[in-house]
Amino acid sequence: MANYFVGDIQGCFEELQILLQKVSFNPSTDILWAVGDLVARGPGSLETLRLFESLQNSGKVVLGNHDLHLMAIHGKIKRANPNDHLQALLEAPDCHKLITWLRQQPLVRHLPEHNLIMSHAGVPPQWNLDTLLSESLTISEQLKQADYLTNVIGQMYQNKPNAWSNNLNGIERTIYGINALTRMRFLHPDTSLEFECKLPPQQLKDNILKPWFDFESSLQKPYQIVFGHWAALMGQTSAPHLHALDTGCCWGEHLTLWHLETNEKITQNNLFNVKLNNK
């Protein structure tokens, strides 16, 4: 049995298929874990969702910001960006089924046997394991409810509150949790979320902001943390226990697959970029 973790697919389905062929992925014995953002910029969002839905227990995902945004588009709360190439998915006869499946997926996966945590953007340094699991579970349960569009999705497009407090209640607590788990990159010195800057840390001109993973963590022991979301990192972090798997496939770079048991990373270049280079 092998555990494979893949970075932000964002509809780059053909690249994912090639990666799975490279490692001879076998759904009867192996598990494919995805760090979120299954859909968006690439042309294969429909095929990607169909694949993971069909894998059942052999495919495990966490929700990313683009996956939540898809729920808003499907629910007529937001309009689709043409650059996201979601039309085939939205018009598919099984679209509602796939959205229903997506709503059942968590924001955090905890693998205690491997001392590992997976979320889309990372783990807020203020949260210990109990807080991480309880806050993410609360949001997941809210997304499963019939009123999820009005009570969660329709209200999540806010940047405040951007700082954690145990005194947060109701929708404010939900908004902070969604933003921290699906949008977090840099933090201010007080650990409040910074939403505008998407640069790699080495290009930052001031010393005020720091990546979330450079703050002291409240986790009781060191965990391997698997995340995506921050393509500008291109897999580079400050410690070996941090696995940044978004390597910008949808932006012309490559898709990354991490084999847990061997600590090997396998990549596949963006196919559209390859075709351009071959002209």
Side-chain angles (χ1 to χ4, degrees):
M1 175 181 169
N3 289 282
Y4 297 103
F5 292 76
V6 67
D8 299 34
I9 301 166
Q10 289 224 16
C12 295
F13 180 72
E14 291 187 38
E15 291 85 347
L16 174 63
Q17 290 290 85
I18 293 172
L19 273 180
L20 296 180
Q21 292 170 8
K22 285 182 178 181
V23 299
S24 301
F25 176 75
N26 183 352
S28 65
T29 57
D30 303 331
I31 299 179
L32 179 62
W33 305 79
V35 299
D37 279 4
L38 302 177
V39 304
R41 298 283 175 170
S45 292
L46 173 59
E47 293 81 1
T48 301
L49 287 187
R50 282 175 172 170
L51 170 65
F52 277 94
E53 193 269 341
S54 71
L55 285 174
Q56 299 182 346
N57 287 333
S58 296
K60 298 181 186 292
V61 311
V62 292
L63 297 175
N65 52 301
H66 281 285
D67 307 315
L68 293 171
H69 187 58
L70 172 62
M71 296 179 197
I73 295 169
H74 179 257
K76 310 298 184 185
I77 292 173
K78 294 286 184 179
R79 292 185 178 181
N81 183 336
N83 292 330
D84 283 346
H85 306 291
L86 293 174
Q87 202 59 33
L89 168 57
L90 295 170
E91 294 177 353
D94 55 345
C95 180
H96 181 75
K97 174 187 175 184
L98 293 171
I99 297 295
T100 300
W101 169 82
L102 197 62
R103 287 171 49 211
Q104 312 309 307
Q105 306 312 307
L107 277 78
V108 169
R109 297 274 187 178
H110 176 217
L111 287 68
E113 67 275 23
H114 296 291
N115 208 35
L116 185 149
I117 295 166
M118 178 174 75
S119 77
H120 181 59
V123 177
Q126 315 94 307
W127 285 4
N128 59 28
L129 182 63
D130 289 342
T131 303
L132 172 67
L133 297 181
S134 63
E135 294 299 322
S136 61
L137 178 61
T138 297
I139 298 169
S140 296
E141 291 302 316
Q142 291 171 339
L143 290 171
K144 295 176 184 178
Q145 302 304 311
D147 58 3
Y148 78 102
L149 285 173
T150 54
N151 284 356
V152 181
I153 299 299
Q155 300 191 58
M156 71 179 181
Y157 291 91
Q158 303 180 53
N159 291 339
K160 297 284 187 175
N162 65 342
W164 170 249
S165 167
N166 279 318
N167 295 325
L168 292 176
N169 291 304
I171 189 60
E172 288 188 338
R173 202 173 183 107
T174 298
I175 290 169
Y176 175 83
I178 288 175
N179 285 339
L181 293 172
T182 70
R183 297 178 63 199
M184 179 173 63
R185 292 186 182 94
F186 287 106
L187 302 181
H188 294 277
D190 63 357
T191 70
S192 59
L193 299 163
E194 158 60 37
F195 295 108
E196 298 301 320
C197 186
K198 301 179 182 180
L199 294 171
Q202 63 270 24
Q203 292 184 17
L204 207 60
K205 294 183 179 180
D206 62 61
N207 295 320
I208 297 175
L209 300 176
K210 290 198 303 184
W212 63 265
F213 48 75
D214 282 348
F215 285 79
E216 183 177 355
S217 174
S218 297
L219 294 172
Q220 296 93 330
K221 57 183 179 179
Y223 285 84
Q224 295 195 83
I225 299 178
V226 183
F227 65 101
H229 183 58
W230 199 345
L233 292 177
M234 289 304 292
Q236 301 301 309
T237 60
S238 58
H241 70 281
L242 300 168
H243 304 279
L245 297 185
D246 183 3
T247 47
C249 186
C250 69
W251 305 111
E253 295 293 341
H254 55 269
L255 191 63
T256 295
L257 192 74
W258 175 54
H259 185 186
L260 170 62
E261 285 75 16
T262 64
N263 197 29
E264 178 186 9
K265 287 182 178 175
I266 305 98
T267 62
Q268 170 58 45
N269 288 336
N270 174 285
L271 292 177
F272 181 68
N273 194 44
V274 170
K275 291 174 185 176
L276 285 179
N277 290 339
N278 286 340
K279 284 187 178 180

